[in-house]
Amino acid sequence: MLETKFGRHIELGKPVEIPLRDINLKDLTFLFRYKFEIEDLSDSIKQAGLINPVVLRQKEKYQIVCGFRRVFSYKFINKKLIRAFVLDKETQDIDCVLFALNDNYFTGNLNDIDKAMTLRKLKRNFLVGESELINIFTTLLKMPKSKEVIKNYLAISEVEDEIKEGFLNDKLNLGQLFILSRLNASERIPIYKYIILSCRINTNELKEIIEYLTFLNRKFNKTFDEILDKKIVKNKLLSGNFNPRQKTIILLNTLRDYRYPNLTKKSRRFFKISKCINIGDKLRISFPENFEGDFVNVLLKPTSYKELVKLIGIIKTKKRHFMALFRLLK
Amino acid sequence: MKHLYFKEVYIERDIKNLRQTDSILKRLKPKSVNLIRDIRDIRLKGNNLNTTIGLSKKVLFLAKQRGNFIKKFFENKNLINCSEYRIDLISGCIFDCAYCYLQSYLENHIISIYVNLNNFKNEFLRLKRQVNLKKSLFTTGELSDSLALEWLSGYTKFLAEIFSEEDLKLELRTKSSETELFSKNAFNKKNLVVHWTVNPDYLIKYIEYRTPTLRERLSAFRKAQEMGFKTGIRLDPIFHIKDWEEKYRTLINYIYNSIGQECSIDYSLGCFRYTKELKKIIQMRFKNIKILDDEFIKCEDGKFRYFRDYD
């Protein structure tokens, strides 16, 4: 007897030996993993044998409910028979789903892509409604009970395999994957290809870049691919002379230039003049945010009164440059 | 304006017997009315925000104002001892300007005429007792167009009479071509200032949906001037469009040619600005318009404005 987490009782009977050739290995109805590896498990089975029997459902050929990795490992090491609990052919699909997910809940850890694919399968293949997804399946998938979370995971289930693989290989984090999943394919693929893979970028920077690209796309009616490919990637990112972090900075600055051409131009002019003032670390000059104001921020860092007087004296000698800064802010 | 008749009318039970309700219904002559308990329970639901707002333009609610009718809306630092108040007798607008802040400001997107005018009078008298209003400026053009529904509500006339008695200033802000009010002589015209908001004609067609044309607005302007009303032109919002200087110069020339070179006109100006919430709505509702595709920067108050220093 096996009790599912939600109180369904299903009679399992005693495990029996089932020939592998009688199992339909092509039927992946109850597989809730994006990908799985069998080599480690095969080694373990060779040494210790099968500890937990798999669960199959009777059909014309047996259908795997729990234990895909175990069955495929058995096949890999050319075993002929496998110990299995066999469910009656009348057992409902949804009971098999609960079985399989319970098995995963207690025995294995699903990664975020597995969870996303599971939610998609539940919704599409088993027609599970939103409230059931939230109330029942989030617990089995060890996820927060939230509509928003479900929505995010369903979105990542739709991203291209290339990007899913990238996530599994730590090329991008979950936050970045969520951001990409909100874009359409023609937008996210160039971002992944040109930016995620070649730069070292944090989530906020990625958001900023997408905001710039979205703006440029609307304004100039060019695709992300065209914007990145023509102007930036060929000229700057693929030149190969920069490390991934430097590439990120170059990319951000270049896109910012396109997004805010006048602001950037003015900032550059400001920095050019303030550079001429150059009094070292003891004096810092900056402009008000976005030039919204007609003042210059001047920070003096004297360690003594004498030094303060000296700094003020130097400032007096830089009158021409300060006047130029104030003119810029008018 | 008469093409903008409402398809549905909802009335709160509490106010169905008020004189003002009756008077509005007589003018509107709806085929049927629906009684509701409380306007705050109502949420119009289209398939998306665009259809919801579209739907809202066809539905009229007659309701009771439960909050204050009069709100002090900001301290103008340039005016000494002078406060500005807004009067909300109507909320929501029959026009559908792409840039309108009401899209994000009004949560339920509905057009409501508040009919409990006795409460307004009491509130007004209370305020008058508490504050010296002589140097204050009142406006009705914040949550709705001041004149667009005048044919139905008669509220501007109602206010003009009160303000005339009290010798207080009321500013109307409108894009309407309604002129009925200007032929009335029941109040002192000096207390009323009417400002028409205008933009180049092609912008009106492009982003000020369901509004009268520039010509119609200026015709109403002329009528008001002829009848001795104080008038003004609001160039707000001004858009940084291609060749904007030329286009706005042409607009101003057109205004002068239309209303007579000899007239002096008060202009008030303001550039287009938006909040984050409004941006989302504009992008969702008006995918093909380009008013957001410019160099906007976030200012201290959280609103986005054009970068000041264009080359």
Side-chain angles (χ1 to χ4, degrees), chain A residues 156-294:
Chain A
I156 65 171
S157 74
E158 303 291 339
V159 304
E160 295 64 34
D161 285 348
E162 185 188 359
I163 300 176
K164 285 184 190 132
E165 292 288 341
F167 171 73
L168 295 174
N169 293 319
D170 292 333
K171 302 281 184 210
L172 69 163
N173 63 38
L174 187 60
Q176 292 171 332
L177 185 60
F178 283 145
I179 292 171
L180 289 189
S181 71
R182 283 178 216 131
L183 304 172
N184 60 45
S186 66
E187 293 169 342
R188 69 176 160 249
I189 292 171
I191 290 181
Y192 179 71
K193 206 162 70 180
Y194 296 135
I195 300 173
I196 306 263
L197 290 183
S198 60
C199 300
R200 206 177 79 223
I201 190 163
N202 66 40
T203 307
N204 284 336
E205 286 167 341
L206 180 63
K207 273 187 198 163
E208 195 179 337
I209 284 171
I210 290 173
E211 197 248 301
Y212 295 158
L213 288 171
T214 309
F215 175 84
L216 296 169
N217 160 261
R218 272 178 66 95
K219 185 164 184 179
F220 300 111
N221 207 13
K222 288 197 168 151
T223 63
F224 282 17
D225 208 11
E226 284 167 338
I227 300 166
L228 288 168
D229 193 41
K230 276 189 187 156
K231 307 218 171 191
I232 301 160
V233 180
K234 277 188 186 159
N235 299 340
K236 296 185 174 169
L237 290 189
L238 295 182
S239 69
N241 297 326
F242 305 104
N243 67 37
R245 192 59 206 153
Q246 285 170 325
K247 284 180 184 177
T248 307
I249 306 292
I250 292 169
L251 179 69
L252 269 167
N253 287 341
T254 313
L255 286 173
R256 207 176 280 138
D257 281 4
Y258 291 129
R259 173 67 182 87
Y260 298 107
N262 291 294
L263 177 64
T264 319
K265 208 183 221 173
K266 197 165 178 176
S267 319
R268 288 223 178 91
R269 248 185 286 161
F270 186 95
F271 286 127
K272 199 174 166 188
I273 301 168
S274 57
K275 218 173 173 184
C276 300
I277 295 172
N278 192 17
I279 309 181
D281 288 348
K282 298 285 177 184
L283 172 81
R284 275 199 195 152
I285 303 167
S286 60
F287 53 83
E289 198 181 351
N290 295 326
F291 288 97
E292 279 290 292
D294 51 5

Side-chain angles (χ1 to χ4, degrees), chain B residues 109-124:
Chain B
H109 306 291
I110 60 185
I111 300 173
S112 11
I113 300 182
Y114 300 114
V115 291
N116 49 332
L117 293 184
N118 279 341
N119 293 21
F120 167 75
K121 280 182 191 161
N122 294 338
E123 193 183 323
F124 180 72

